[in-house]
Amino acid sequence: MLNDEVSLRKLEILCSFVRTGSLVKTAEEFQLSSVSIHKALHSLETGIGCPLFVKEGRQLKPLHAALYLAEASVDLLDDVERVLKKTRAKAGVESGQIRLGSMYSLTANIIPRLIMGTKIRRPDLDIDLYLGSNEDLMKKLSEGQIDAVVIATPSGKLPEDIQVVPLFEDQLFFASSKSSKPLSGAIDLLDYRDEKFVTLQDGFATTSGFDDAFALAGFKPNVVMKVGDIFSLMNMVSGDMGRSLLPGRVRSLMGDAIDFIPLVPKYQVVQRIALMYLQANESNPNILALAAEGRMLHRNNK
């Protein structure tokens, strides 16, 4: 059982001291005196009941036990911060910041519109943008590391605590460089069994759609390269490294270098792009403003 000598504040001080290696720098971080920092560390040592530090001259040096405690406390303090954040969200207490996750392919159009519209509603709101794959962003959302995401709705059943605001639907197109433009109007993937393809790494919505389309065609494509973002993928296609399947929303970015040709209906794959956030945040005024802007965007895209 913890005693009064062990507190989260003292663990924060310990982490800072181990990171900076200096009582003075730690004191500056916490706006305290070096004497107060020294007392807090000594009190923590007393409360835990084992030696954490040794004096070398006038310097205080952490022992292995202190290093272990500091390393473990980083994760503990992060967990506490997430719990407190969710508690504030349930109580409807707002902060001045939203951490928004997005797929790379949405940053050229949708995300700027969504952010600008939300900031008109909440001028003092700061929005931090995190980019990643569908899989990575969903994981961060469920763990509370980000507050909302704009991604392709996963094909499986969503957790019950996820709120969804549909934005628009998109579909995948057969993408080729201008120099390798196919002659036909709509693409039958069976005609491209021997072609080279490039795609995104696993975890991206476009990769899932790519795999689904070729599963419908009944064969595995010859994938010669996988890249980590949609912009690199488009450069690979325009440079004739291979063909790919790309969402229509990126056509405006490189339409002069890449041809986007529709697939025949039986291979068409639809992506449903949506704003998602935890139900625990549904009373947060900042999230409400973001969701309201998302619904307006959805109406304008109909």
Side-chain angles (χ1 to χ4, degrees):
M1 180 178 295
L2 295 178
N3 58 46
D4 293 340
E5 301 295 335
V6 180
S7 69
L8 294 175
R9 180 70 165 177
K10 291 175 185 177
L11 292 176
E12 286 182 318
I13 290 173
L14 171 67
C15 291
S16 174
F17 175 67
V18 168
R19 185 181 73 253
T20 64
S22 166
L23 289 173
V24 173
K25 290 180 180 178
T26 301
E28 290 174 353
E29 281 191 12
F30 287 87
Q31 295 184 334
L32 297 171
S33 67
S34 297
V35 173
S36 296
I37 296 299
H38 189 279
K39 286 182 177 179
L41 293 175
H42 179 68
S43 173
L44 180 64
E45 190 175 46
T46 301
I48 292 176
C50 72
L52 297 177
F53 309 98
V54 63
K55 272 194 171 184
E56 293 185 359
R58 299 182 63 183
Q59 299 295 317
L60 192 66
K61 296 291 184 181
L63 298 172
H64 288 300
L67 297 176
Y68 167 77
L69 180 60
E71 182 180 357
S73 295
V74 170
D75 293 332
L76 171 63
L77 293 168
D78 285 344
D79 288 341
V80 170
E81 178 59 29
R82 282 195 289 271
V83 169
L84 294 179
K85 184 183 179 304
K86 288 186 177 182
T87 301
R88 288 192 293 268
K90 285 183 177 292
V93 178
E94 64 178 299
S95 68
Q97 182 186 49
I98 286 179
R99 297 167 299 176
L100 178 64
S102 169
M103 301 187 298
Y104 292 91
S105 60
L106 297 171
T107 57
N109 186 7
I110 298 300
I111 291 301
R113 289 165 58 189
L114 190 61
I115 289 176
M116 288 177 63
T118 303
K119 285 184 73 66
I120 288 173
R121 296 169 184 266
R122 309 284 294 179
D124 296 329
L125 177 64
D126 291 327
I127 300 179
D128 292 338
L129 186 61
Y130 296 77
L131 301 177
S133 68
N134 244 48
E135 186 176 290
D136 177 55
L137 292 172
M138 277 299 295
K139 182 174 184 292
K140 282 183 166 60
L141 178 65
S142 64
E143 292 177 350
Q145 296 180 42
I146 51 182
D147 304 305
V149 295
V150 182
I151 58 174
T153 306
S155 56
K157 185 178 180 182
L158 289 171
E160 293 182 358
D161 63 343
I162 299 290
Q163 297 292 307
V164 180
V165 179
L167 299 181
F168 67 96
E169 291 187 355
D170 199 0
Q171 68 180 52
L172 297 185
F173 290 79
F174 190 86
S176 291
S177 69
K178 290 288 186 180
S179 61
S180 301
K181 179 180 178 180
L183 298 177
S184 59
I187 298 296
D188 187 333
L189 292 177
L190 289 174
D191 295 336
Y192 293 86
R193 285 178 175 272
D194 299 323
E195 289 287 334
K196 294 183 297 182
F197 286 88
V198 290
T199 187
L200 291 172
Q201 295 169 356
D202 294 343
F204 287 88
T206 296
T207 306
S208 299
F210 180 97
D211 293 340
D212 290 344
F214 281 99
L216 291 171
F219 72 95
K220 279 194 170 185
N222 176 24
V223 175
V224 296
M225 184 181 296
K226 289 188 174 185
V227 297
D229 65 87
I230 196 81
F231 304 110
S232 297
L233 178 57
M234 287 189 289
N235 284 324
M236 295 299 103
V237 174
S238 67
D240 235 359
M241 294 293 294
R243 306 179 194 262
S244 192
L245 300 184
L246 292 173
R249 59 185 174 272
V250 300
R251 178 164 31 194
S252 61
L253 300 178
M254 295 189 69
D256 58 340
I258 298 176
D259 272 308
F260 287 72
I261 307 105
L263 302 172
V264 295
K266 62 182 177 180
Y267 302 138
Q268 288 179 359
V269 176
V270 175
Q271 293 181 345
R272 293 173 174 83
I273 309 302
L275 166 70
M276 294 182 238
Y277 56 91
L278 294 178
Q279 188 174 356
N281 284 329
E282 63 183 351
S283 58
N284 184 320
N286 295 327
I287 295 294
L288 292 176
L290 183 67
E293 193 60 31
R295 284 188 285 271
M296 178 176 288
L297 193 152
H298 175 62
R299 288 194 296 270
N300 293 338
N301 282 325
K302 283 186 176 180

